[in-house]
mmCIF file of all heavy atoms in Angstrom:
data_model
loop_
_atom_site.group_PDB
_atom_site.id
_atom_site.type_symbol
_atom_site.label_atom_id
_atom_site.label_comp_id
_atom_site.label_asym_id
_atom_site.label_seq_id
_atom_site.Cartn_x
_atom_site.Cartn_y
_atom_site.Cartn_z
ATOM 1 N N LEU A 26 12.509 29.843 -41.505
ATOM 2 C CA LEU A 26 13.584 30.334 -40.628
ATOM 3 C C LEU A 26 14.619 29.225 -40.380
ATOM 4 O O LEU A 26 15.831 29.462 -40.452
ATOM 5 C CB LEU A 26 12.986 30.822 -39.302
ATOM 6 C CG LEU A 26 13.967 31.329 -38.237
ATOM 7 C CD1 LEU A 26 14.771 32.532 -38.742
ATOM 8 C CD2 LEU A 26 13.240 31.701 -36.945
ATOM 9 N N ALA A 27 14.132 28.013 -40.124
ATOM 10 C CA ALA A 27 15.032 26.891 -39.836
ATOM 11 C C ALA A 27 15.937 26.565 -41.024
ATOM 12 O O ALA A 27 17.077 26.133 -40.858
ATOM 13 C CB ALA A 27 14.212 25.661 -39.456
ATOM 14 N N ARG A 28 15.422 26.798 -42.232
ATOM 15 C CA ARG A 28 16.187 26.422 -43.434
ATOM 16 C C ARG A 28 17.126 27.511 -43.935
ATOM 17 O O ARG A 28 17.853 27.307 -44.897
ATOM 18 C CB ARG A 28 15.204 26.083 -44.568
ATOM 19 C CG ARG A 28 14.525 24.752 -44.365
ATOM 20 C CD ARG A 28 13.673 24.402 -45.557
ATOM 21 N NE ARG A 28 12.986 23.139 -45.349
ATOM 22 C CZ ARG A 28 11.815 22.841 -45.874
ATOM 23 N NH1 ARG A 28 11.186 23.723 -46.636
ATOM 24 N NH2 ARG A 28 11.251 21.668 -45.651
ATOM 25 N N LYS A 29 17.062 28.688 -43.313
ATOM 26 C CA LYS A 29 17.911 29.787 -43.800
ATOM 27 C C LYS A 29 19.390 29.419 -43.730
ATOM 28 O O LYS A 29 19.827 28.847 -42.741
ATOM 29 C CB LYS A 29 17.691 31.047 -42.944
ATOM 30 C CG LYS A 29 16.497 31.886 -43.349
ATOM 31 C CD LYS A 29 16.406 33.107 -42.447
ATOM 32 C CE LYS A 29 15.092 33.841 -42.638
ATOM 33 N NZ LYS A 29 15.116 34.801 -43.715
ATOM 34 N N PRO A 30 20.162 29.784 -44.749
ATOM 35 C CA PRO A 30 21.611 29.570 -44.650
ATOM 36 C C PRO A 30 22.245 30.679 -43.809
ATOM 37 O O PRO A 30 21.620 31.714 -43.562
ATOM 38 C CB PRO A 30 22.070 29.677 -46.113
ATOM 39 C CG PRO A 30 21.041 30.545 -46.768
ATOM 40 C CD PRO A 30 19.749 30.345 -46.034
ATOM 41 N N GLY A 31 23.469 30.457 -43.363
ATOM 42 C CA GLY A 31 24.206 31.533 -42.688
ATOM 43 C C GLY A 31 24.062 31.590 -41.188
ATOM 44 O O GLY A 31 24.261 32.633 -40.573
ATOM 45 N N TRP A 32 23.719 30.466 -40.549
ATOM 46 C CA TRP A 32 23.677 30.445 -39.079
ATOM 47 C C TRP A 32 25.104 30.357 -38.541
ATOM 48 O O TRP A 32 25.901 29.575 -39.021
ATOM 49 C CB TRP A 32 22.882 29.236 -38.581
ATOM 50 C CG TRP A 32 21.398 29.362 -38.789
ATOM 51 C CD1 TRP A 32 20.681 28.957 -39.874
ATOM 52 C CD2 TRP A 32 20.460 29.951 -37.886
ATOM 53 N NE1 TRP A 32 19.353 29.242 -39.706
ATOM 54 C CE2 TRP A 32 19.185 29.859 -38.487
ATOM 55 C CE3 TRP A 32 20.559 30.540 -36.618
ATOM 56 C CZ2 TRP A 32 18.022 30.337 -37.877
ATOM 57 C CZ3 TRP A 32 19.406 31.013 -36.013
ATOM 58 C CH2 TRP A 32 18.156 30.909 -36.632
ATOM 59 N N ASP A 33 25.413 31.182 -37.533
ATOM 60 C CA ASP A 33 26.749 31.160 -36.915
ATOM 61 C C ASP A 33 26.652 30.553 -35.529
ATOM 62 O O ASP A 33 25.830 30.992 -34.721
ATOM 63 C CB ASP A 33 27.305 32.591 -36.761
ATOM 64 C CG ASP A 33 27.519 33.245 -38.111
ATOM 65 O OD1 ASP A 33 28.022 32.557 -39.017
ATOM 66 O OD2 ASP A 33 27.148 34.432 -38.269
ATOM 67 N N ILE A 34 27.518 29.587 -35.267
ATOM 68 C CA ILE A 34 27.493 28.979 -33.931
ATOM 69 C C ILE A 34 28.204 29.912 -32.958
ATOM 70 O O ILE A 34 29.255 30.457 -33.260
ATOM 71 C CB ILE A 34 28.100 27.560 -33.950
ATOM 72 C CG1 ILE A 34 27.792 26.841 -32.637
ATOM 73 C CG2 ILE A 34 29.591 27.573 -34.226
ATOM 74 C CD1 ILE A 34 27.716 25.340 -32.781
ATOM 75 N N THR A 35 27.578 30.182 -31.805
ATOM 76 C CA THR A 35 28.180 31.117 -30.855
ATOM 77 C C THR A 35 28.623 30.422 -29.579
ATOM 78 O O THR A 35 29.447 30.926 -28.852
ATOM 79 C CB THR A 35 27.194 32.250 -30.473
ATOM 80 O OG1 THR A 35 26.019 31.656 -29.941
ATOM 81 C CG2 THR A 35 26.834 33.105 -31.660
ATOM 82 N N LYS A 36 28.053 29.257 -29.288
ATOM 83 C CA LYS A 36 28.418 28.584 -28.048
ATOM 84 C C LYS A 36 28.134 27.098 -28.152
ATOM 85 O O LYS A 36 27.117 26.694 -28.708
ATOM 86 C CB LYS A 36 27.599 29.187 -26.904
ATOM 87 C CG LYS A 36 28.230 28.999 -25.549
ATOM 88 C CD LYS A 36 27.605 29.939 -24.535
ATOM 89 C CE LYS A 36 28.379 31.239 -24.413
ATOM 90 N NZ LYS A 36 27.877 32.076 -23.339
ATOM 91 N N THR A 37 29.034 26.282 -27.620
ATOM 92 C CA THR A 37 28.822 24.837 -27.602
ATOM 93 C C THR A 37 29.051 24.309 -26.198
ATOM 94 O O THR A 37 30.096 24.544 -25.606
ATOM 95 C CB THR A 37 29.814 24.126 -28.560
ATOM 96 O OG1 THR A 37 29.727 24.742 -29.833
ATOM 97 C CG2 THR A 37 29.488 22.658 -28.702
ATOM 98 N N LEU A 38 28.046 23.635 -25.650
ATOM 99 C CA LEU A 38 28.187 22.942 -24.365
ATOM 100 C C LEU A 38 27.999 21.453 -24.653
ATOM 101 O O LEU A 38 27.853 21.057 -25.796
ATOM 102 C CB LEU A 38 27.108 23.433 -23.387
ATOM 103 C CG LEU A 38 27.096 24.931 -23.133
ATOM 104 C CD1 LEU A 38 25.775 25.362 -22.559
ATOM 105 C CD2 LEU A 38 28.214 25.294 -22.168
ATOM 106 N N ASP A 39 27.946 20.640 -23.607
ATOM 107 C CA ASP A 39 27.810 19.192 -23.829
ATOM 108 C C ASP A 39 26.593 18.836 -24.675
ATOM 109 O O ASP A 39 26.705 18.193 -25.703
ATOM 110 C CB ASP A 39 27.725 18.445 -22.481
ATOM 111 C CG ASP A 39 29.083 18.437 -21.787
ATOM 112 O OD1 ASP A 39 30.078 18.813 -22.459
ATOM 113 O OD2 ASP A 39 29.157 18.088 -20.608
ATOM 114 N N ASN A 40 25.418 19.260 -24.215
ATOM 115 C CA ASN A 40 24.189 18.875 -24.918
ATOM 116 C C ASN A 40 23.477 20.047 -25.574
ATOM 117 O O ASN A 40 22.359 19.906 -26.039
ATOM 118 C CB ASN A 40 23.208 18.210 -23.937
ATOM 119 C CG ASN A 40 23.785 16.951 -23.355
ATOM 120 O OD1 ASN A 40 24.542 16.263 -24.029
ATOM 121 N ND2 ASN A 40 23.449 16.655 -22.114
ATOM 122 N N VAL A 41 24.128 21.213 -25.563
ATOM 123 C CA VAL A 41 23.468 22.428 -26.065
ATOM 124 C C VAL A 41 24.399 23.181 -27.012
ATOM 125 O O VAL A 41 25.571 23.378 -26.714
ATOM 126 C CB VAL A 41 23.086 23.377 -24.890
ATOM 127 C CG1 VAL A 41 22.422 24.640 -25.396
ATOM 128 C CG2 VAL A 41 22.180 22.671 -23.881
ATOM 129 N N LYS A 42 23.844 23.594 -28.162
ATOM 130 C CA LYS A 42 24.579 24.494 -29.058
ATOM 131 C C LYS A 42 23.701 25.706 -29.308
ATOM 132 O O LYS A 42 22.484 25.575 -29.484
ATOM 133 C CB LYS A 42 24.861 23.816 -30.408
ATOM 134 C CG LYS A 42 25.929 22.752 -30.354
ATOM 135 C CD LYS A 42 26.138 22.158 -31.735
ATOM 136 C CE LYS A 42 27.105 20.990 -31.672
ATOM 137 N NZ LYS A 42 26.907 20.065 -32.772
ATOM 138 N N ILE A 43 24.317 26.893 -29.326
ATOM 139 C CA ILE A 43 23.559 28.129 -29.578
ATOM 140 C C ILE A 43 24.080 28.761 -30.866
ATOM 141 O O ILE A 43 25.280 28.942 -31.045
ATOM 142 C CB ILE A 43 23.679 29.107 -28.389
ATOM 143 C CG1 ILE A 43 23.129 28.444 -27.108
ATOM 144 C CG2 ILE A 43 22.934 30.412 -28.678
ATOM 145 C CD1 ILE A 43 23.365 29.225 -25.831
ATOM 146 N N TRP A 44 23.149 29.070 -31.768
ATOM 147 C CA TRP A 44 23.475 29.669 -33.064
ATOM 148 C C TRP A 44 22.759 31.005 -33.191
ATOM 149 O O TRP A 44 21.686 31.199 -32.614
ATOM 150 C CB TRP A 44 22.982 28.787 -34.213
ATOM 151 C CG TRP A 44 23.324 27.340 -34.141
ATOM 152 C CD1 TRP A 44 22.840 26.404 -33.245
ATOM 153 C CD2 TRP A 44 24.210 26.621 -35.000
ATOM 154 N NE1 TRP A 44 23.378 25.179 -33.511
ATOM 155 C CE2 TRP A 44 24.217 25.273 -34.581
ATOM 156 C CE3 TRP A 44 24.989 26.994 -36.104
ATOM 157 C CZ2 TRP A 44 24.972 24.296 -35.212
ATOM 158 C CZ3 TRP A 44 25.748 26.011 -36.728
ATOM 159 C CH2 TRP A 44 25.742 24.677 -36.287
ATOM 160 N N THR A 45 23.338 31.928 -33.965
ATOM 161 C CA THR A 45 22.633 33.188 -34.264
ATOM 162 C C THR A 45 22.629 33.420 -35.766
ATOM 163 O O THR A 45 23.447 32.859 -36.507
ATOM 164 C CB THR A 45 23.305 34.403 -33.573
ATOM 165 O OG1 THR A 45 24.683 34.426 -33.951
ATOM 166 C CG2 THR A 45 23.176 34.341 -32.069
ATOM 167 N N HIS A 46 21.669 34.243 -36.180
ATOM 168 C CA HIS A 46 21.528 34.565 -37.600
ATOM 169 C C HIS A 46 21.103 36.027 -37.693
ATOM 170 O O HIS A 46 20.107 36.419 -37.098
ATOM 171 C CB HIS A 46 20.444 33.670 -38.223
ATOM 172 C CG HIS A 46 20.313 33.836 -39.713
ATOM 173 N ND1 HIS A 46 19.690 34.908 -40.288
ATOM 174 C CD2 HIS A 46 20.730 33.048 -40.738
ATOM 175 C CE1 HIS A 46 19.734 34.783 -41.610
ATOM 176 N NE2 HIS A 46 20.358 33.657 -41.905
ATOM 177 N N GLU A 47 21.883 36.837 -38.396
ATOM 178 C CA GLU A 47 21.535 38.257 -38.532
ATOM 179 C C GLU A 47 21.185 38.565 -39.970
ATOM 180 O O GLU A 47 21.873 38.138 -40.888
ATOM 181 C CB GLU A 47 22.708 39.134 -38.091
ATOM 182 C CG GLU A 47 22.845 39.203 -36.586
ATOM 183 C CD GLU A 47 23.951 40.166 -36.157
ATOM 184 O OE1 GLU A 47 23.762 41.383 -36.351
ATOM 185 O OE2 GLU A 47 24.982 39.686 -35.660
ATOM 186 N N GLU A 48 20.090 39.297 -40.141
ATOM 187 C CA GLU A 48 19.661 39.698 -41.479
ATOM 188 C C GLU A 48 19.045 41.082 -41.350
ATOM 189 O O GLU A 48 17.936 41.216 -40.821
ATOM 190 C CB GLU A 48 18.621 38.684 -41.981
ATOM 191 C CG GLU A 48 18.413 38.712 -43.466
ATOM 192 C CD GLU A 48 17.559 37.522 -43.922
ATOM 193 O OE1 GLU A 48 17.018 36.789 -43.075
ATOM 194 O OE2 GLU A 48 17.437 37.354 -45.131
ATOM 195 N N GLY A 49 19.769 42.093 -41.769
ATOM 196 C CA GLY A 49 19.281 43.464 -41.578
ATOM 197 C C GLY A 49 19.124 43.747 -40.096
ATOM 198 O O GLY A 49 20.030 43.511 -39.305
ATOM 199 N N ALA A 50 17.927 44.218 -39.719
ATOM 200 C CA ALA A 50 17.695 44.558 -38.307
ATOM 201 C C ALA A 50 17.146 43.376 -37.516
ATOM 202 O O ALA A 50 16.819 43.506 -36.342
ATOM 203 C CB ALA A 50 16.712 45.720 -38.232
ATOM 204 N N VAL A 51 17.017 42.222 -38.183
ATOM 205 C CA VAL A 51 16.400 41.072 -37.514
ATOM 206 C C VAL A 51 17.470 40.095 -37.029
ATOM 207 O O VAL A 51 18.308 39.645 -37.795
ATOM 208 C CB VAL A 51 15.418 40.339 -38.462
ATOM 209 C CG1 VAL A 51 14.780 39.153 -37.751
ATOM 210 C CG2 VAL A 51 14.341 41.293 -38.956
ATOM 211 N N LEU A 52 17.427 39.810 -35.749
ATOM 212 C CA LEU A 52 18.351 38.841 -35.163
ATOM 213 C C LEU A 52 17.541 37.595 -34.795
ATOM 214 O O LEU A 52 16.496 37.694 -34.167
ATOM 215 C CB LEU A 52 18.987 39.431 -33.903
ATOM 216 C CG LEU A 52 19.851 38.481 -33.070
ATOM 217 C CD1 LEU A 52 21.144 38.136 -33.797
ATOM 218 C CD2 LEU A 52 20.181 39.099 -31.719
ATOM 219 N N SER A 53 18.011 36.442 -35.233
ATOM 220 C CA SER A 53 17.348 35.191 -34.851
ATOM 221 C C SER A 53 18.348 34.327 -34.107
ATOM 222 O O SER A 53 19.547 34.443 -34.330
ATOM 223 C CB SER A 53 16.876 34.433 -36.092
ATOM 224 O OG SER A 53 16.038 35.258 -36.876
#
């Protein structure tokens, strides 16, 4: 899961970044 390509960054704070990854019906 960690190595999958195609992660999209959705939010950036000082020390925190949030990424999402969609593949079919699965959201990571």
Side-chain angles (χ1 to χ4, degrees):
L26 178 61
R28 286 185 182 150
K29 277 181 191 274
W32 287 90
D33 296 318
I34 192 152
T35 57
K36 203 164 267 187
T37 308
L38 303 161
D39 288 349
N40 298 328
V41 179
K42 287 181 186 155
I43 300 172
W44 311 69
T45 55
H46 185 284
E47 283 184 69
E48 198 170 8
V51 180
L52 173 70
S53 304

